[in-house]
Amino acid sequence: MGYELTDETALVTGGGSGIGRQTAKRFAAEGANVVVADIDTDGGAETVEQIEADGGDATFVEVDVSDPDSVESMVETTVDTYGSLDVAHNNAGIEGDNAPMAEQSLENWNRVIDINLKGVWLCLKHELDVMAQNGGGAIVNTSSIAGLSAAGSTPYSASKHGVIGLTRVAATEYADADVRVNAVCPGVIETPMVEQSREKNPEAIEQFVGMQPLGRMGTPEEIANAVVWLSSAEASFITGNAYPVDGGYMAL
Ligand code: NAD
């Protein structure tokens, strides 16, 4: 605690579950007005309920981050609702099908890249425009250890490497406008995404967890801690970086 975001407006995609839900809750706990954006209306509404129950202010906006009109409208609704956009966590993502490269389908490639990579670009495109006009802001994109290493399947790993590329370009192009852009690279984190993966292939998850020297999965709260810090004035000289939050996975 202690990252003052009072009266700031924060937007979180994928805010209806897992990591995004915890980030949205932390932003609200730090005093921000929060837009919880997700394709899952039930999950998004539940996050808003939880924030309101804790005395925070939040609004749900339905979005498909792979749809240009939907993303444009999400950012417009954010500004219309709260009058500004100061902080954004571009976090919505899917794992897609796990299979060796030669067995990957074009359909799975297109779906994962559309949501995980094009989706982050579309969000950045509209957020950067608003923030640059309003005197600055801070953005954190969710990449992965699969964006820094060969962890993960073909389209997932490619999309998460791409998110770091987008982060670096956005940070350098918009530094003059006082917009900072960073990425977090979670290791294996206990969320519904990993739960579904574990049901399909428990050995693979155990193997990844075994490669995290801290010897356990991370929690969504531990990723939210990093996102909120990177979004706050405490990180005022940090931009264009990708931070592993991975129990030591990338150190091996
Ligand atoms: P999750 O499945 O719990 O949450 C993902 C959220 O994104 C869901 O609420 C889902 O409805 C939403 N979403 C999916 N497609 C969308 C779309 N087209 N438009 C809008 N919203 C959409 O998963 P999570 O683990 O919290 O994952 C959050 C992010 O963290 C993802 O980008 C994921 O790739 C990344 N990540 C997760 C882990 C992990 O171990 N859990 C590790 C590294 C990176």
Side-chain angles (χ1 to χ4, degrees):
M1 288 290 176
Y3 303 121
E4 193 52 41
L5 295 172
T6 304
D7 295 332
E8 300 214 342
T9 299
L11 167 64
V12 181
T13 69
S17 178
I19 291 168
R21 171 171 290 167
Q22 286 309 319
T23 305
K25 290 174 74 169
R26 275 296 308 279
F27 280 144
E30 299 296 341
N33 304 312
V34 182
V35 170
V36 176
D38 206 296
I39 200 165
D40 173 4
T41 51
D42 291 342
E46 201 180 316
T47 303
V48 169
E49 271 171 34
Q50 291 182 15
I51 289 172
E52 287 174 346
D54 291 340
D57 191 339
T59 300
F60 173 67
V61 173
E62 185 176 353
V63 70
D64 176 354
V65 295
S66 67
D67 175 341
D69 293 339
S70 180
V71 173
E72 184 172 12
S73 146
M74 169 188 75
V75 173
E76 274 173 16
T77 306
T78 303
V79 175
D80 288 350
T81 306
Y82 291 119
S84 68
L85 174 61
D86 306 293
V87 168
H89 182 200
N90 298 321
N91 165 78
I94 59 167
E95 189 182 16
D97 299 334
N98 276 307
M101 195 175 286
E103 292 163 33
Q104 282 283 341
S105 68
L106 179 61
E107 188 191 14
N108 186 52
W109 169 271
N110 285 339
R111 191 164 143 262
V112 174
I113 296 293
D114 259 13
I115 294 172
N116 291 8
L117 183 57
K118 188 180 86 180
V120 171
W121 170 62
L122 288 171
C123 290
L124 283 168
K125 178 176 163 60
H126 294 287
E127 293 159 359
L128 288 164
D129 190 34
V130 170
M131 288 180 181
Q133 286 179 46
N134 289 354
I139 300 175
V140 180
N141 299 317
T142 302
S143 175
S144 167
I145 52 172
L148 296 165
S149 74
S153 64
T154 306
Y156 187 79
S157 186
S159 71
K160 294 301 186 179
H161 276 77
V163 166
I164 295 175
L166 288 173
T167 300
R168 291 180 174 141
V169 173
T172 51
E173 287 183 350
Y174 286 82
D176 281 352
D178 224 8
V179 182
R180 295 183 303 102
V181 189
N182 290 290
V184 285
C185 301
V188 185
I189 310 301
E190 201 153 10
T191 69
M193 179 186 281
V194 164
E195 199 42 56
Q196 282 160 22
S197 221
R198 186 160 46 187
E199 278 164 22
K200 283 186 229 154
N201 191 347
E203 294 81 23
I205 295 295
E206 288 321 311
Q207 195 186 349
F208 274 120
V209 173
M211 290 161 77
Q212 300 189 152
L214 287 182
R216 62 171 175 86
M217 282 201 231
T219 64
E221 289 83 353
E222 288 172 312
I223 305 304
N225 288 342
V227 174
V228 172
W229 168 64
L230 283 169
S231 305
S232 76
E234 298 288 315
S236 52
F237 200 52
I238 300 176
T239 197
N241 281 301
Y243 287 90
V245 187
D246 64 352
Y249 181 99
M250 289 305 301
L252 286 176

